[in-house]
Amino acid sequence: MKQDNPPDGGREPTPGTGDMPAEEFRRYGHMLVERVARYLEEVERAPVLSRAQPGDIRASLPRAAPASGEDMAKILADFDEKILPGITHWNHPGFMAYFAITGSGPGILGELLAAGLNANGMLWRSSPAVTELEEVTLDWLRQLLGLPEPLFGEITDTASSSTLYALAAAREFADMDIHRRGVGGQRLRVYCSAEAHSSVDKAVITLGLGSDGLRHIPVDERFRMRTDLLEAAIAEDKAAGIRPLAVVATVGTTGTTSIDPVTEIADICEREGMWLHVDASYAGVAAIVPEKRYVLAGVERAHSLVVNPHKWLFVPIDCSVLYTREPAALKAAFALPLEILYAPEPGVTNLMDYGMSLGRRFRSLKLWFVLRYFGAAGIIARLREHMRLAQIVARWADESDAFEVCAPVELSTVVFRYNPPGLAPPEVDTANAELLRLVNESGDVFLSGTKVNGSQVLRLAIGNLRTTERHVLRAMELLEQTAKRL
Ligand SMILES: *Cc1c(COP(=O)(O)O)cnc(C)c1O
């Protein structure tokens, strides 16, 4: 991202009280757009995983803010020298860790405009377009996902917040007047699978239900929630005087991208009068692809759903979407009669009523740019390509004597491990941990690891617009070569 500063770059720091002069903003603005464009073109040359050691970046920076203003050229030079080496490059084509997601050109440009406007959409009147574009883009996304109307949607920062809000709504839905009385001595229970994301634990703890308020239901051989055990757990809790409140089903678990049987879980929730929240943070967008629409089967019966466009829809972080069929419950959880803020327009949505935060960034702008720029066809082509690349890796591991696939590959994530003939299980775990460390040291790829059935495995996730077959072949070559050296 390095670039020479413009020849006229130096200046005396602005004295007085105004903003950066427009002329200076313009000059650095042009320069930074050029830098970002070049960064995206050349990101592959940097090591994908930052080589910084803990404390390196902090130690390179002053201990206090400057007493007087500094030159922009100097700030940018420090960015190049001190900050960039501490960046792990999520835009690098070899980034295949976690859920490997990029931003995108249109997403970055939308983010730039949102920063320029600095509009806060806490109320409809505090920026009508922030509220209404959020409504429009989320309705577009609803249609792309194949979900029926009516469905209320809002954008939050992360799936963790979305799930927290959904479970807060679930408490109101239970008609226990919790908004006013608190949880009190009532024993409530939320259920999710043993493979569910830790954000469910955090939400339940934050809502005051305690970690005992969450029950992890065991999974089957394909890592899906066992509904027979869910039913048994609910019956057992009811007999013990605990009120079953909600089930969180996962569509695309973080470890293995398994898909819980949402339809069966919906049957149980309807019978028991429980809220059903579906966590499809990563996998939900796969439903945009016609042959993958099935991943959201049954979700039309859920009370709420989270999908993260910042996970696999090319929207820069942060952009999580919370949908609910019960906006009244969400509002019951969060709305307060605040005279100072309430505005006279009838029939508008004031988004501050539907979550914890008052202020709201203009996040729908970048989502709008991405949906329009790529279009449904462009998005489908890209998601399909990522799934095709994942199949190449899965086939390679399947056919190899030394590697094996450890979970079904339905989407763009492959869970596999090195398991050559003759190694005992504890040695296999150690070998995989070592393999992961060495491969990530290469700087060419970044993979993550996880545990499946207690064993150390490797995860390769495709979700980056710059990842091509060449990068996937390189990852496989590195894995093979490194394994031979173990
Ligand atoms: C990543 C992930 C989350 C958390 O997402 P954030 O937006 O980072 O909070 C929750 N659930 C699943 C299944 C995930 O994969």
Side-chain angles (χ1 to χ4, degrees):
M1 204 163 182
K2 273 195 172 55
Q3 185 179 291
D4 294 337
N5 292 312
D8 55 346
R11 63 153 189 98
E12 285 305 306
T14 314
T17 54
D19 193 5
M20 172 187 269
E23 185 40 48
E24 187 183 4
F25 178 81
R26 183 171 290 113
R27 192 167 56 202
Y28 282 106
H30 284 304
M31 193 175 104
L32 288 191
V33 169
E34 168 55 29
R35 275 186 185 214
V36 173
R38 202 190 302 174
Y39 167 72
L40 294 174
E41 276 172 348
E42 297 180 352
V43 60
E44 189 170 352
R45 295 196 202 155
V48 48
L49 183 61
S50 168
R51 296 191 166 139
Q53 296 301 309
D56 276 0
I57 293 112
R58 199 166 48 237
S60 75
L61 298 170
R63 284 171 170 268
S68 48
E70 295 187 274
D71 197 286
M72 202 62 206
K74 184 158 173 281
I75 301 170
L76 290 176
D78 281 347
F79 171 82
D80 285 341
E81 197 183 311
K82 297 171 178 174
I83 305 300
L84 263 185
I87 295 297
T88 287
H89 295 286
W90 287 70
N91 291 312
H92 191 296
F95 189 110
M96 300 172 190
Y98 318 122
F99 286 123
I101 35 131
T102 37
S104 60
I108 294 168
L109 295 176
E111 192 76 283
L112 173 65
L113 286 182
L117 294 173
N118 191 36
N120 184 334
M122 56 195 198
L123 302 170
W124 178 85
R125 66 156 40 175
S126 70
S127 260
V130 175
T131 299
E132 294 190 14
L133 189 65
E134 193 158 315
E135 289 170 342
V136 170
T137 51
L138 297 194
D139 194 56
W140 288 7
L141 183 62
R142 174 193 66 75
Q143 294 172 53
L144 290 171
L145 295 172
L147 293 171
E149 285 185 288
L151 196 61
F152 172 88
E154 70 168 309
I155 302 182
T156 74
D157 54 356
T158 59
S160 305
S161 298
S162 296
T163 292
L164 174 71
Y165 295 178
L167 292 178
R171 292 199 315 191
E172 294 309 316
F173 191 69
D175 229 358
M176 296 159 71
D177 202 14
I178 284 175
H179 181 116
R180 189 175 62 85
R181 295 168 53 210
V183 182
Q186 306 168 91
R187 294 181 69 198
L188 304 173
R189 193 90 83 180
V190 174
Y191 307 82
C192 64
S193 90
E195 295 284 317
H197 191 264
S198 56
S199 54
V200 183
D201 301 65
K202 279 195 182 179
V204 167
I205 293 164
T206 306
L207 291 169
L209 273 51
S211 54
D212 286 349
L214 182 64
R215 232 172 131 157
H216 289 97
I217 307 297
V219 294
D220 67 12
E221 72 295 343
R222 288 172 68 97
F223 309 103
R224 301 170 299 194
M225 188 192 290
R226 291 251 322 252
T227 49
D228 56 329
L229 297 181
L230 171 65
E231 284 186 291
I234 292 170
E236 188 183 278
D237 284 350
K238 281 180 14 187
I242 299 172
R243 176 159 178 173
L245 186 70
V247 178
V248 179
T250 310
V251 168
T253 55
T254 313
T256 63
T257 72
S258 62
I259 298 171
D260 283 341
V262 175
T263 300
E264 285 171 48
I265 295 171
D267 287 342
I268 296 169
C269 287
E270 278 165 20
R271 205 164 57 229
E272 298 289 340
M274 295 168 74
W275 183 282
L276 172 58
H277 175 61
V278 174
D279 177 358
S281 297
Y282 152 73
V285 300
I288 298 173
V289 181
E291 65 273 20
K292 290 290 165 183
R293 178 140 289 180
Y294 71 86
V295 301
L296 289 186
V299 170
E300 69 284 354
R301 291 165 66 194
H303 299 81
S304 56
L305 163 71
V306 53
V307 174
N308 273 7
H310 79 221
K311 276 229 160 126
W312 195 18
L313 198 61
F314 322 127
V315 177
I317 190 166
D318 54 356
C319 185
S320 173
V321 174
L322 172 63
Y323 283 117
T324 180
R325 286 198 289 121
E326 300 289 345
L330 194 56
K331 200 167 170 179
F334 293 108
L336 298 171
L338 297 176
E339 292 299 333
I340 184 177
L341 288 171
Y342 270 94
E345 302 84 8
V348 299
T349 297
N350 293 309
L351 285 166
M352 62 164 282
D353 289 342
Y354 296 88
M356 262 315 296
S357 55
L358 171 64
R360 164 175 298 266
R361 297 190 337 104
F362 197 177
R363 294 192 186 92
S364 62
L365 197 58
K366 55 189 173 182
L367 176 59
W368 190 52
F369 277 33
V370 166
L371 293 179
R372 291 188 63 182
Y373 180 83
F374 293 115
I379 290 167
I380 291 167
R382 285 165 176 82
L383 297 180
R384 268 196 190 129
E385 173 64 4
H386 293 171
M387 292 188 271
R388 185 187 75 85
L389 295 177
Q391 286 304 328
I392 292 177
V393 179
R395 220 172 309 124
W396 160 79
D398 250 348
E399 287 166 7
S400 148
D401 294 331
F403 289 87
E404 65 184 7
V405 174
C406 304
V409 182
E410 283 183 73
L411 301 166
S412 70
T413 304
V414 187
V415 179
F416 63 103
R417 68 173 177 169
Y418 175 57
N419 188 17
L423 271 195
E427 294 165 349
V428 175
D429 273 3
T430 318
N432 279 280
E434 185 63 2
L435 180 59
L436 184 63
R437 191 181 67 77
L438 291 171
V439 164
N440 286 344
E441 256 178 20
S442 72
D444 288 353
V445 294
F446 177 28
L447 307 181
S448 49
T450 188
K451 287 267 164 77
V452 164
N453 296 329
S455 304
Q456 174 71 48
V457 298
L458 311 180
R459 263 171 97 269
L460 186 153
I462 316 266
N464 190 308
L465 290 175
R466 284 172 188 79
T467 302
T468 65
E469 194 162 326
R470 170 170 72 83
H471 302 103
V472 168
L473 296 177
R474 173 69 185 140
M476 296 179 327
E477 176 189 65
L478 259 172
L479 283 160
E480 269 174 0
Q481 287 173 351
T482 313
K484 278 195 197 125
R485 286 201 279 122
L486 283 178

